[in-house]
Amino acid sequence: MSCLPCFQSKKTNEPPEDLPVARPLNAPSPPPHFENNNYKPPCENANKVDLASPVENGDSNAKTFTFRELASATKNFRQECLIGEGGFGRVFKGTLQGGEVVAVKQLDRTGTQGNKEFQVEVFMLTLLNHPNLVSLIGYCADGDQRILVYEYMPMGCLADHLIDIKEDQKPLDWQNRMKIASGAAQGLEYLHDKANPPIIYRDLRTTNILLDQDFNPRLSDYGLAKLAGGGNTSHISPRVMGTYGYCAPEYERSGELSFKSDVYSFGVVLLELITGRRAVDTTRPAEEQNLVAWAQPIFRNPKRFREIADPLLKNKFP
């Protein structure tokens, strides 16, 4: 994979960079939405998933739900059913009339799109199919409601098993950590290289990586920036959408969005998997609060690499 060199099989003669930071792109911007020097028209990319006109083609399997159905499934969106909350809205655990358990994401209504535009974007997302992406089942667009229905992941998110672990909870071993990193990289590769048009994640973090019973990762909240009113027709975002500590420096400074912004976020997640530390932890000493800043001096000295390993691994790693 061109954008995630840590997980590609091909060898490269390029020397590794000293610091794990994404660099701003100097090349002129290609087609609207994305900076991607590898982008090719759909006719030249037979393996890409064409998201160009799913509504007209009728290829989408998206189910439509009424607000009444989803209110009933989530007990009227009660607090007891709330399982998560993020930048795009709140997520509730729900049970549909047929007994299927689902995750119901109620998007913030501020700045949401019109009904037609919302349906088009949802149909495009339902065409995406990869084992490392959470499946989007359907949606609700009653009135001003914008709700998405996903498959339910009972193991929760990566943060629940890596950072916020309980005293009686077994920590992730090295094999599972690398399995999660590899799967997340493959999901990101699919969004970058297979979806057409490509999708920039924007908010890759441990709380957006969900796990199944075998600790296989699935990315959630992909493609939501535009659905929640944060998308535009330019690769320059009017406002930074992401989580502090995961955003690439050039994106924070200028709003310049590219695939490398996602790669930087992936690097932060990989650091969290290795160290067991949060991307930003204000409970630590000032010099250790930002994970990337703390790790950078260690990267310059290979003899110190073992210092960054999570103590919970108990030195059980290669």
Side-chain angles (χ1 to χ4, degrees):
M1 170 169 42
S2 60
C3 64
L4 297 173
C6 293
F7 291 92
Q8 67 180 21
S9 57
K10 295 181 180 180
K11 294 183 178 179
T12 177
N13 295 323
E14 297 181 2
E17 295 187 13
D18 291 336
L19 303 179
V21 294
R23 306 296 183 188
L25 297 180
N26 297 321
S29 169
H33 260 314
F34 305 101
E35 275 189 326
N36 181 6
N37 294 332
N38 297 322
Y39 179 81
K40 297 179 182 179
C43 61
E44 299 180 26
N45 294 273
N47 294 327
K48 285 184 176 288
V49 180
D50 190 359
L51 309 180
S53 54
V55 176
E56 290 79 358
N57 296 336
D59 295 330
S60 174
N61 293 320
K63 297 179 182 178
T64 57
F65 296 91
T66 65
F67 180 73
R68 183 184 295 273
E69 285 179 295
L70 298 182
S72 175
T74 58
K75 301 179 181 179
N76 204 25
F77 297 95
R78 287 185 184 175
Q79 187 71 21
E80 64 187 75
C81 296
L82 183 67
I83 57 176
E85 190 166 4
F88 298 113
R90 299 183 297 172
V91 184
F92 299 85
K93 180 180 178 180
T95 304
L96 300 178
Q97 193 170 15
E100 182 181 6
V101 179
V102 294
V104 180
K105 190 173 191 73
Q106 190 174 36
L107 297 177
D108 292 334
R109 286 181 254 180
T110 302
T112 49
Q113 298 173 312
N115 192 298
K116 180 66 175 179
E117 293 81 2
F118 177 78
Q119 289 184 46
V120 170
E121 293 295 331
V122 169
F123 288 159
M124 289 171 64
L125 293 180
T126 57
L127 293 179
L128 299 174
N129 182 25
H130 189 272
N132 296 116
L133 298 181
V134 175
S135 297
L136 178 59
I137 298 172
Y139 72 98
C140 168
D142 284 357
D144 61 352
Q145 294 290 336
R146 298 292 181 266
I147 304 175
L148 302 175
V149 181
Y150 292 94
E151 64 173 322
Y152 178 67
M153 303 293 287
M155 292 288 284
C157 67
L158 172 57
D160 295 334
H161 301 270
L162 179 66
I163 299 171
D164 301 319
I165 62 174
K166 302 174 183 177
E167 292 184 2
D168 59 345
Q169 188 175 353
K170 183 180 179 181
L172 288 172
D173 59 26
W174 180 260
Q175 182 178 358
N176 277 326
R177 294 183 195 219
M178 293 302 99
K179 178 181 180 180
I180 292 168
S182 177
Q186 291 176 57
L188 202 57
E189 176 191 31
Y190 177 85
L191 294 176
H192 287 183
D193 297 343
K194 301 300 182 183
N196 182 28
I199 293 176
I200 297 181
Y201 199 118
R202 295 189 185 213
D203 198 21
L204 180 63
R205 50 194 167 105
T206 53
T207 52
N208 281 342
I209 300 176
L210 307 185
L211 304 173
D212 67 11
Q213 298 288 349
D214 297 318
F215 292 102
N216 294 304
R218 298 197 184 188
L219 306 183
S220 66
D221 283 6
Y222 51 88
L224 290 196
K226 191 170 183 180
L227 286 175
N232 60 15
T233 58
S234 170
H235 67 283
I236 303 296
S237 176
R239 66 186 179 95
V240 174
M241 302 185 69
T243 303
Y244 177 65
Y246 295 92
C247 291
E250 67 275 11
Y251 183 36
E252 287 185 335
R253 286 194 303 265
S254 63
E256 184 178 355
L257 186 65
S258 72
F259 295 118
K260 288 187 177 181
S261 304
D262 281 348
V263 177
Y264 181 92
S265 300
F266 173 80
V268 177
V269 170
L270 183 59
L271 262 181
E272 289 184 285
L273 281 164
I274 294 171
T275 65
R277 293 176 176 234
R278 300 176 187 273
V280 176
D281 190 346
T282 56
T283 65
R284 292 184 178 274
E287 65 276 10
E288 297 183 19
Q289 290 183 4
N290 184 288
L291 178 58
V292 173
W294 168 77
Q296 281 179 348
I298 301 176
F299 290 149
R300 298 190 182 101
N301 185 357
K303 295 180 180 180
R304 298 183 59 195
F305 282 173
R306 299 181 73 88
E307 294 180 25
I308 69 174
D310 187 349
L312 294 179
L313 288 170
K314 298 180 179 179
N315 291 319
K316 295 179 181 179
F317 52 85

